[in-house]
Amino acid sequence: MKLVSSILIFMISLSCFGQQGKNVPEKKVEVVLGIDHVEKLDFAPSTKVQVGNDTILNHVIIPQKREITFKGLKPGQTSVMIRNTVGDIKAKFLVNITATDQSKVVQELKEFLGDVEGLEIGIKGNKVYVGGEIVVPSDIGKVIVVLGGYPDVVQLVELSPQTQRVIARNMQKEIQKSNMPDVTVRVANGLFMLEGVVSADVDKTRAEQIAAVYVPDMIQNLARRTESVKAAEKDIIQNFISVNSKKKPAPIPKLIKISAQFVELTKDYNKIFGFKWEPVLAGGGGTINIGKGNDGGVTSSSQGTLAGTISNLFPRLASAKSAGYARVIQSGVIITKDKIASKIVKRSEKPFAIGTGEFVRTEKASAGFDLAITPTILPQEKIDLSMGITVSANVGDPPETTSNTIQTALVVKSKESAVVGGVVVNKSSTDFDRNPPGGVDDVEDGNKLFSFVKSKAYLTNKSQFVVFVTPEIIESASSGTEEIKRKFRSRRR
């Protein structure tokens, strides 16, 4: 019994719900493309609106004001149902969207100018109008060209004052970046006014030229466009910049610190292998003389007893290897003004003796470096270096002086290092059957029976010279002092 009662109650409720939607009358609404239609509601509507075909109709509902606005998108017909806050259908509309000549023009203008910020396109008093304020200056040309094809459209477009102020700020920023920090730009009555002080007439002209680059295509205001007022002929840029011909103080020249490192690496290798056999007959024994007699025959005579000692009876081998290297590193630092030639010279002398016995004399071997350089600061922190470098070093004992000279010009960025130049020298020599093989003859006094020598000596020498230069732009000569002190402290350790 309870089940039957429940089913009966459900069917009655369903019937009442269906009757509720049927009892709401359907209202016909005519909407013209381009003209919004507003309908007032006598209930608190829900924000969810059912539209049969939302491709031809758009809507905006405002529950607080109990109204809904229909916006036609395409010609056609569709139904609209609006419910209250509890979900009951309270209003039905059959919306018919029609197109007129004006609405077609509105649709075309929206297709052309719909993406232009600040424009408003619609129909008022059976006339199509385009109004608003253009925000982006680059859109001005587009609007003028499009509206030129619609002479019957009422043009109410103006340039936004905010846009003019943005243009003025860009003008001022670019002028001040061009070394005119005292120049300002402001907008007054649609004109750009340049104000401030510069040091020369050429700067005043250049400021106006820079401002002209930023001036966009302009649209006259409505009063001037309708010739309701007589416009005074004025340039869009008004130059009120004053010229103060007071000579600017010369800028403080910048300083350049130049560090140069000279590196020379020398390597040598010597290999000797020799075979020598040289028996010697030594001693005070007798002698045998063989000669020609008076009659033409061979004669011989002897004296004393033949006796002697043969030394160096066995052959000797001479084999030796030697290798070595020397690394000479010198560095110099010099600080100078821009475009001022400077020079640094370092010299050291090493005394040595040459000769033997009473023929000994003293000589001096000189070594060091000369650095002559003229720097010129270029844009982007680059430095033009015109330089000459001479480096000499002593190697060996007695010392042998090697000298290297470089004369060049190059461009290096501040705080970056560059290889100015370098020299690589390779020397090699090979000696065969040199007597004695090792360079020292230790044969005893006596008569050599015979001599047999076979040897080979190989000598190679390599030297490499490289110069590194690092320029740096500094504000004061005291810059980098701490680094130099630190280097001296580390060397004392």
Side-chain angles (χ1 to χ4, degrees):
M1 187 66 180
K2 291 182 179 180
L3 179 61
V4 174
S5 300
S6 300
I7 294 173
L8 183 61
I9 293 173
F10 175 75
M11 293 180 65
I12 294 173
S13 301
L14 186 62
S15 176
C16 293
F17 182 78
Q19 292 293 331
Q20 181 184 15
K22 293 181 180 180
N23 293 333
V24 177
E26 188 175 61
K27 182 179 180 181
K28 293 184 179 181
V29 177
E30 295 290 334
V31 176
V32 180
L33 283 176
I35 302 177
D36 296 343
H37 181 82
V38 180
E39 283 287 338
K40 295 290 185 178
L41 305 174
D42 56 358
F43 59 92
S46 172
T47 56
K48 296 182 179 179
V49 179
Q50 294 177 252
V51 180
N53 187 357
D54 56 3
T55 62
I56 64 174
L57 181 68
N58 194 7
H59 69 278
V60 177
I61 188 167
I62 304 176
Q64 295 82 355
K65 293 187 176 182
R66 295 188 176 185
E67 65 180 25
I68 184 171
T69 302
F70 296 120
K71 297 177 178 289
L73 302 178
K74 295 179 182 179
Q77 194 175 53
T78 183
S79 61
V80 178
M81 288 190 297
I82 304 175
R83 299 177 183 271
N84 59 11
T85 55
V86 297
D88 298 334
I89 299 175
K90 289 296 184 178
K92 289 183 179 181
F93 297 96
L94 181 61
V95 182
N96 185 31
I97 301 100
T98 59
T100 62
D101 293 339
Q102 291 87 353
S103 63
K104 291 180 180 179
V105 173
V106 171
Q107 288 297 110
E108 293 176 359
L109 290 176
K110 287 184 177 180
E111 291 179 1
F112 284 120
L113 305 176
D115 58 342
V116 177
E117 186 177 355
L119 282 190
E120 179 184 351
I121 303 173
I123 300 175
K124 288 185 179 180
N126 293 328
K127 290 187 177 181
V128 179
Y129 73 94
V130 177
E133 295 178 342
I134 298 178
V135 177
V136 182
S138 59
D139 291 334
I140 295 176
K142 180 179 179 180
V143 173
I144 293 176
V145 172
V146 172
L147 294 182
Y150 297 88
D152 296 332
V153 174
V154 179
Q155 301 181 20
L156 305 176
V157 182
E158 292 184 302
L159 185 63
S160 171
Q162 179 63 25
T163 302
Q164 293 180 338
R165 287 191 288 270
V166 172
I167 296 173
R169 284 198 299 268
N170 292 336
M171 287 181 182
Q172 177 176 310
K173 182 179 179 181
E174 189 64 29
I175 291 173
Q176 292 180 351
K177 283 173 59 179
S178 301
N179 201 21
M180 289 177 279
D182 298 328
V183 176
T184 59
V185 183
R186 63 187 180 93
V187 180
N189 196 24
L191 304 177
F192 297 98
M193 301 174 61
L194 308 183
E195 300 172 324
V197 180
V198 295
S199 59
D201 291 330
V202 64
D203 291 336
K204 178 178 179 180
T205 303
R206 188 157 57 95
E208 185 173 346
Q209 292 173 347
I210 294 174
V213 175
Y214 284 84
V215 175
D217 297 330
M218 302 300 292
I219 298 179
Q220 291 183 343
N221 58 37
L222 296 177
R224 293 180 180 177
R225 208 179 307 165
T226 57
E227 298 182 355
S228 299
V229 296
K230 185 177 181 180
E233 294 184 359
K234 297 179 182 178
D235 293 332
I236 191 68
I237 298 176
Q238 297 294 311
N239 195 341
F240 298 106
I241 298 176
S242 301
V243 178
N244 185 0
S245 58
K246 182 179 179 181
K247 187 176 181 181
K248 290 184 177 180
I252 300 175
K254 293 186 178 180
L255 300 179
I256 304 170
K257 182 178 72 173
I258 303 167
S259 303
Q261 289 81 31
F262 317 98
V263 180
E264 184 168 8
L265 181 64
T266 303
K267 294 183 179 181
D268 61 79
Y269 176 77
N270 188 12
K271 180 179 179 181
I272 300 173
F273 178 80
F275 176 88
K276 182 177 181 180
W277 189 17
E278 198 171 57
V280 177
L281 179 62
T287 60
I288 299 176
N289 297 320
I290 300 175
K292 183 178 180 182
N294 295 328
D295 56 356
V298 177
T299 62
S300 63
S301 63
S302 62
Q303 182 180 357
T305 303
L306 292 176
T309 302
I310 299 177
S311 61
N312 294 335
L313 182 60
F314 298 99
R316 294 186 178 184
L317 296 178
S319 178
K321 290 183 181 180
S322 63
Y325 71 92
R327 187 177 184 183
V328 181
I329 300 178
Q330 300 190 55
S331 62
V333 178
I334 188 170
I335 298 176
T336 182
K337 293 181 181 179
D338 182 25
K339 300 179 182 178
I340 300 298
S342 57
K343 187 175 183 180
I344 183 172
V345 178
K346 177 187 175 183
R347 280 284 180 270
S348 63
E349 294 183 347
K350 179 180 180 181
F352 64 95
I354 59 174
T356 58
E358 60 182 4
F359 300 103
V360 175
R361 71 176 186 273
T362 303
E363 296 288 345
K364 293 182 179 180
S366 179
F369 67 84
D370 297 349
L371 172 62
I373 190 165
T374 303
T376 303
I377 298 178
L378 303 177
Q380 301 178 356
E381 293 189 349
K382 293 184 179 180
I383 304 172
D384 185 354
L385 300 176
S386 177
M387 57 192 305
I389 302 173
T390 300
V391 182
S392 58
N394 298 325
V395 180
D397 191 14
E400 177 183 354
T401 302
T402 59
S403 180
N404 301 275
T405 301
I406 295 177
Q407 186 75 34
T408 185
L410 68 161
V411 176
V412 185
K413 193 172 183 180
S414 178
K415 297 183 180 181
E416 292 186 357
S417 299
V419 178
V420 175
V423 178
V424 178
V425 179
N426 292 328
K427 296 180 181 179
S428 62
S429 62
T430 304
D431 294 334
F432 294 96
D433 301 338
R434 184 178 180 183
N435 189 16
V440 179
D441 194 354
D442 56 354
V443 177
E444 300 176 357
D445 294 336
N447 299 318
K448 300 177 183 179
L449 297 180
F450 60 86
S451 178
F452 179 76
V453 178
K454 193 69 175 178
S455 67
K456 180 180 179 180
Y458 176 74
L459 174 65
T460 179
N461 179 275
K462 294 182 179 180
S463 62
Q464 184 175 6
F465 168 73
V466 182
V467 179
F468 297 90
V469 174
T470 306
E472 180 183 355
I473 300 174
I474 59 177
E475 297 295 333
S476 172
S478 61
S479 301
T481 305
E482 292 299 326
E483 181 181 356
I484 296 176
K485 291 181 179 179
R486 180 180 56 81
K487 289 183 178 180
F488 275 106
R489 286 196 297 267
S490 62
R491 289 175 182 174
R492 285 200 298 266
R493 294 173 186 169

